[in-house]
Every structure is written in structure tokens, then in C-alpha cells.
Amino acid sequence: AILLGYDDTLPQELRQKYVAAGAMHILCVSGLHVGVIFMVFSYMLIFLDDRKKNQRVVKHLILLFLIWFYALLAGLAPSILRATIMLSFVIIGNVINKKGVVLNSLAASAFILLCVNPANLFDVGFQLSYVAVIGIVVLQKPILNLIYSKYKIVNKIWEITSVTLAAQIATAPFTIYYFHQFPIYFWLSNLFMTPISSVVIMVGMIMLLIFFIPYVNVAVAWIVSKMIYVMNFGVSWIESLPYSIIKGLYVNDIQFVALLIILLLLL
């Protein structure tokens, strides 16, 4: 479920715990996964970072192939397509020495996906994926600037929290309208779940790459299983906290539109 988005066999009880903890996005293959793959393989191909333009082009073409291969493996869900197309623009921009604007790349990827399948517009995953990224791009920096500390660890914690807050503010109207609930401790779960899940994705991919090496594959798989146990324990603990999730939030179409207008004015 974490690596490839195949969550059909995920127990409903565990799924509900991730929802209540506000960490369900970790089980949805998205920009986090594509970004991790890009960074890992970019580091592995560092020997191609030469001044020769041909080597740089080869590196970026390999990276382009790898992220699209991963998108195909993960089933081409709207969230991963959005991230893959956006990152493709970034990679092509690096090849031709042009830096893009994030919102432009976001709009271009949405335009391409809607040209391919206009029905994507009414897909909940498509809506949440794009709104979350817009929220992060527009709101994260102003939220981050609200608090500053002389201690680096405090700034790092606040940086992760600001990203979570920005995404949650932007997606709140959609969460309430579609799912009739709102997680209270989303900021707490993402504080430790985001770093752990990133490591799980990296180590999990290593596990898939070395599956044929005896003993080493078992050791790496054991590490992955223990890290996933820690993740599941964390969301179970957060879900057990008082008032972890507010349920019964029903809004009609007019109220939903009103919430969207408020969100647009805020953005």
C-alpha cells in the first residue's frame, strides 16, 4: 500500500486509524513517493553530473524514464500522475536550463490530465491532490514566517507543521463535504509520520531491488516491517486520543460553495 498504492487488502480497521490520525495520504501514492524516487536515483546517478551537456541529458532522461515507470507500476492514479507530470516539467526545464513556476507546472499538469480524461475533474482524489499542493505552495511560506526560533530543531518541527497546516486548510472544505469528518491531531501525526514514511519508502525500494540476495533481503525486510509497526503503533495511539476526529459534519452544496469561496479569498 505504501510503495505502490495497492491497499485493497488493507484491513478496514487499520485504514480507519490512518483516516482518524489525518495520515491517510501516506497510503496514497503521491508526490512524496515520486520525490523520494527522484532524489534517490538522482544521487545514484551523481557520476553523470559532469560539465558535459550530453551526460546531463542522459541522466535526466534516465530519471524521466524511472519516474514514469514507477507511475505505471502504481496504476497511474491522479495524485501520482500530477506529481509525475510536474516533475517531468522540472526535469525538462533542467535540461534546457529553464526554471519553472510551480503553480504554472501544476496548472499545466491539470490541463493535460483533463484533456486526456475530463471526468478526472469529478474524481475526489484528483481534487484533493491538486488543492493540497495549491495550499502548500500559497500558504506554507506565510504560515512558516509566523514563528521563528533561534533553535534549529524548533524551526525544523515548525517547518514540517507549516506544510501540514497549509495542506489541511486547503483540503478542509473537501474533507468535510465528501467524508463528513475532520481529524484534529493531523499536525501531530504528520510530525513523525512524514519522516518515517519517507525512510520506509526508501528502504522498501531497496528491499525490492535486493530481493534475490539471500539473508540480506530478509534483514532489510525485517527493518521495513519494524518501521511499519512503529507507524501503525503511532496512528493507533493518536486515534485513541480524546476527540481525535470530529464526525457528523454535513454541509450541503451551497455551504460547500461558500466554504470554497472563503478558501479562495484566503489564498
Side-chain angles (χ1 to χ4, degrees):
I2 291 174
L3 285 179
L4 298 173
Y6 299 160
D7 57 357
D8 295 341
T9 57
L10 203 67
Q12 188 59 38
E13 182 184 356
L14 183 62
R15 189 193 297 265
Q16 184 53 41
K17 287 179 179 179
Y18 273 84
V19 171
M24 192 60 193
H25 62 279
I26 288 170
L27 300 178
C28 301
V29 177
S30 59
L32 174 67
H33 300 66
V34 180
V36 167
I37 285 177
F38 177 78
M39 286 189 294
V40 169
F41 283 104
S42 183
Y43 182 76
M44 288 172 67
L45 296 169
I46 197 167
F47 62 91
L48 291 174
D49 281 341
D50 201 341
R51 291 186 177 180
K52 292 180 181 178
K53 188 177 180 181
N54 290 343
Q55 290 189 355
R56 285 179 56 250
V57 171
V58 169
K59 176 185 176 179
H60 287 101
L61 286 175
I62 293 171
L63 289 172
L64 204 60
F65 169 78
L66 288 170
I67 62 171
W68 276 102
F69 179 71
Y70 178 70
L72 285 165
L73 275 180
L76 297 176
S79 57
I80 193 168
L81 272 176
R82 182 261 308 160
T84 306
I85 294 172
M86 278 187 65
L87 196 52
S88 297
F89 288 141
V90 173
I91 292 171
I92 294 167
N94 287 336
V95 172
I96 61 175
N97 293 319
K98 297 285 184 182
K99 285 190 176 181
V101 179
V102 178
L103 285 176
N104 282 353
S105 299
L106 191 68
S109 66
F111 179 76
I112 291 169
L113 288 178
L114 291 174
C115 283
V116 173
N117 182 13
N120 278 331
L121 185 62
F122 306 101
D123 182 86
V124 179
F126 179 90
Q127 294 174 13
L128 287 172
S129 174
Y130 276 91
V131 170
V133 177
I134 292 170
I136 292 169
V137 172
V138 179
L139 295 177
Q140 190 264 336
K141 202 73 181 286
I143 293 172
L144 180 65
N145 293 336
L146 292 175
I147 295 176
Y148 176 76
S149 172
K150 60 181 180 180
Y151 301 106
K152 285 186 177 180
I153 184 67
V154 175
N155 287 329
K156 197 63 185 174
I157 290 170
W158 178 240
E159 185 180 346
I160 296 171
T161 306
S162 67
V163 173
T164 307
L165 284 171
Q168 204 69 42
I169 290 169
T171 57
F174 296 86
T175 305
I176 294 169
Y177 181 69
Y178 288 118
F179 306 112
H180 318 297
Q181 58 188 21
F182 189 81
I184 297 298
Y185 301 114
F186 64 88
W187 54 273
L188 181 60
S189 63
N190 283 282
L191 198 57
F192 71 89
M193 289 291 281
T194 302
I196 292 176
S197 63
S198 298
V199 177
V200 167
I201 292 166
M202 281 189 277
V203 182
M205 286 169 185
I206 293 170
M207 182 183 73
L208 295 179
L209 289 171
I210 63 166
F211 75 93
F212 56 90
I213 304 175
Y215 304 111
V216 178
N217 54 8
V218 176
V220 175
W222 183 83
I223 293 169
V224 173
S225 68
K226 293 305 175 187
M227 292 177 72
I228 290 174
Y229 173 81
V230 171
M231 285 174 58
N232 290 343
F233 177 81
V235 294
S236 297
W237 174 70
I238 291 171
E239 192 250 354
S240 67
L241 294 174
Y243 310 107
S244 62
I245 190 166
I246 300 174
K247 294 185 177 180
L249 298 172
Y250 292 94
V251 295
N252 58 34
D253 294 347
I254 295 172
Q255 291 167 330
F256 176 55
V257 171
L259 285 173
L260 290 181
I261 291 170
I262 292 170
L263 175 62
L264 283 170
L265 291 173
L266 176 66
L267 292 172

Short mmCIF file of all heavy atoms in Angstrom, two decimals, residues 81-91 102-103 105-106 109 130 133:
data_model
loop_
_atom_site.label_atom_id
_atom_site.label_comp_id
_atom_site.label_asym_id
_atom_site.label_seq_id
_atom_site.Cartn_x
_atom_site.Cartn_y
_atom_site.Cartn_z
N LEU A 81 -0.02 10.87 -11.12
CA LEU A 81 0.12 11.49 -12.44
C LEU A 81 0.43 12.97 -12.30
O LEU A 81 1.26 13.51 -13.04
CB LEU A 81 -1.16 11.29 -13.25
CG LEU A 81 -1.26 9.99 -14.07
CD1 LEU A 81 -2.62 9.88 -14.73
CD2 LEU A 81 -0.16 9.93 -15.13
N ARG A 82 -0.24 13.62 -11.37
CA ARG A 82 0.01 15.05 -11.13
C ARG A 82 1.47 15.27 -10.76
O ARG A 82 2.16 16.11 -11.35
CB ARG A 82 -0.91 15.53 -10.00
CG ARG A 82 -0.80 17.02 -9.67
CD ARG A 82 0.08 17.29 -8.48
NE ARG A 82 -0.32 16.51 -7.34
CZ ARG A 82 0.48 16.25 -6.31
NH1 ARG A 82 1.73 16.67 -6.32
NH2 ARG A 82 0.07 15.53 -5.29
N ALA A 83 1.97 14.47 -9.82
CA ALA A 83 3.35 14.63 -9.37
C ALA A 83 4.34 14.28 -10.48
O ALA A 83 5.36 14.97 -10.66
CB ALA A 83 3.59 13.74 -8.16
N THR A 84 4.04 13.23 -11.24
CA THR A 84 4.96 12.78 -12.30
C THR A 84 5.05 13.80 -13.42
O THR A 84 6.14 14.11 -13.91
CB THR A 84 4.50 11.41 -12.86
OG1 THR A 84 4.35 10.49 -11.78
CG2 THR A 84 5.52 10.86 -13.83
N ILE A 85 3.90 14.33 -13.83
CA ILE A 85 3.90 15.34 -14.91
C ILE A 85 4.62 16.61 -14.46
O ILE A 85 5.43 17.18 -15.20
CB ILE A 85 2.45 15.66 -15.37
CG1 ILE A 85 1.82 14.43 -16.04
CG2 ILE A 85 2.44 16.84 -16.34
CD1 ILE A 85 0.36 14.58 -16.35
N MET A 86 4.34 17.03 -13.21
CA MET A 86 5.01 18.23 -12.68
C MET A 86 6.52 18.05 -12.65
O MET A 86 7.28 18.93 -13.07
CB MET A 86 4.49 18.54 -11.27
CG MET A 86 3.18 19.29 -11.24
SD MET A 86 2.76 19.79 -9.56
CE MET A 86 4.07 20.96 -9.21
N LEU A 87 6.96 16.88 -12.15
CA LEU A 87 8.39 16.62 -12.05
C LEU A 87 9.02 16.48 -13.45
O LEU A 87 10.18 16.84 -13.66
CB LEU A 87 8.64 15.35 -11.23
CG LEU A 87 10.06 15.13 -10.70
CD1 LEU A 87 10.56 16.35 -9.95
CD2 LEU A 87 10.10 13.91 -9.79
N SER A 88 8.23 15.99 -14.40
CA SER A 88 8.72 15.90 -15.79
C SER A 88 9.03 17.29 -16.33
O SER A 88 10.04 17.49 -17.02
CB SER A 88 7.67 15.22 -16.68
OG SER A 88 7.44 13.89 -16.27
N PHE A 89 8.15 18.26 -16.01
CA PHE A 89 8.40 19.65 -16.43
C PHE A 89 9.70 20.17 -15.82
O PHE A 89 10.49 20.85 -16.48
CB PHE A 89 7.24 20.56 -16.01
CG PHE A 89 5.99 20.36 -16.80
CD1 PHE A 89 4.74 20.41 -16.20
CD2 PHE A 89 6.04 20.13 -18.17
CE1 PHE A 89 3.58 20.22 -16.94
CE2 PHE A 89 4.89 19.95 -18.91
CZ PHE A 89 3.66 19.99 -18.29
N VAL A 90 9.92 19.84 -14.53
CA VAL A 90 11.13 20.28 -13.83
C VAL A 90 12.37 19.68 -14.48
O VAL A 90 13.37 20.37 -14.72
CB VAL A 90 11.06 19.89 -12.34
CG1 VAL A 90 12.40 20.19 -11.65
CG2 VAL A 90 9.94 20.63 -11.64
N ILE A 91 12.31 18.36 -14.78
CA ILE A 91 13.46 17.66 -15.40
C ILE A 91 13.77 18.24 -16.77
O ILE A 91 14.92 18.53 -17.10
CB ILE A 91 13.17 16.15 -15.49
CG1 ILE A 91 13.12 15.53 -14.09
CG2 ILE A 91 14.23 15.45 -16.33
CD1 ILE A 91 12.63 14.10 -14.07
N VAL A 102 6.00 26.91 -10.00
CA VAL A 102 5.29 25.72 -9.50
C VAL A 102 3.81 25.74 -9.88
O VAL A 102 3.26 24.75 -10.36
CB VAL A 102 5.44 25.60 -7.97
CG1 VAL A 102 4.67 24.39 -7.46
CG2 VAL A 102 6.91 25.45 -7.59
N LEU A 103 3.16 26.89 -9.69
CA LEU A 103 1.72 26.97 -9.99
C LEU A 103 1.46 26.78 -11.49
O LEU A 103 0.44 26.22 -11.88
CB LEU A 103 1.15 28.31 -9.51
CG LEU A 103 0.94 28.44 -7.99
CD1 LEU A 103 0.47 29.84 -7.64
CD2 LEU A 103 -0.06 27.42 -7.48
N SER A 105 3.35 24.91 -13.52
CA SER A 105 3.53 23.47 -13.75
C SER A 105 2.32 22.69 -13.26
O SER A 105 1.89 21.73 -13.89
CB SER A 105 4.80 22.98 -13.04
OG SER A 105 5.93 23.63 -13.52
N LEU A 106 1.78 23.12 -12.13
CA LEU A 106 0.60 22.48 -11.55
C LEU A 106 -0.60 22.63 -12.49
O LEU A 106 -1.31 21.66 -12.77
CB LEU A 106 0.28 23.10 -10.19
CG LEU A 106 -0.76 22.40 -9.32
CD1 LEU A 106 -0.24 21.05 -8.85
CD2 LEU A 106 -1.10 23.26 -8.10
N SER A 109 -0.10 20.48 -15.66
CA SER A 109 -0.35 19.06 -15.44
C SER A 109 -1.85 18.78 -15.33
O SER A 109 -2.34 17.77 -15.86
CB SER A 109 0.37 18.58 -14.17
OG SER A 109 -0.16 19.18 -13.01
N TYR A 130 -4.71 18.18 -6.02
CA TYR A 130 -4.36 19.50 -6.53
C TYR A 130 -4.59 20.60 -5.50
O TYR A 130 -3.77 21.52 -5.37
CB TYR A 130 -5.14 19.79 -7.82
CG TYR A 130 -4.47 19.22 -9.03
CD1 TYR A 130 -4.78 17.94 -9.48
CD2 TYR A 130 -3.48 19.92 -9.71
CE1 TYR A 130 -4.13 17.39 -10.58
CE2 TYR A 130 -2.84 19.38 -10.82
CZ TYR A 130 -3.17 18.11 -11.24
OH TYR A 130 -2.52 17.57 -12.32
N VAL A 133 -1.71 20.66 -2.93
CA VAL A 133 -0.48 21.26 -3.44
C VAL A 133 -0.62 22.78 -3.56
O VAL A 133 0.30 23.53 -3.22
CB VAL A 133 -0.08 20.65 -4.80
CG1 VAL A 133 1.17 21.33 -5.35
CG2 VAL A 133 0.19 19.16 -4.65
#
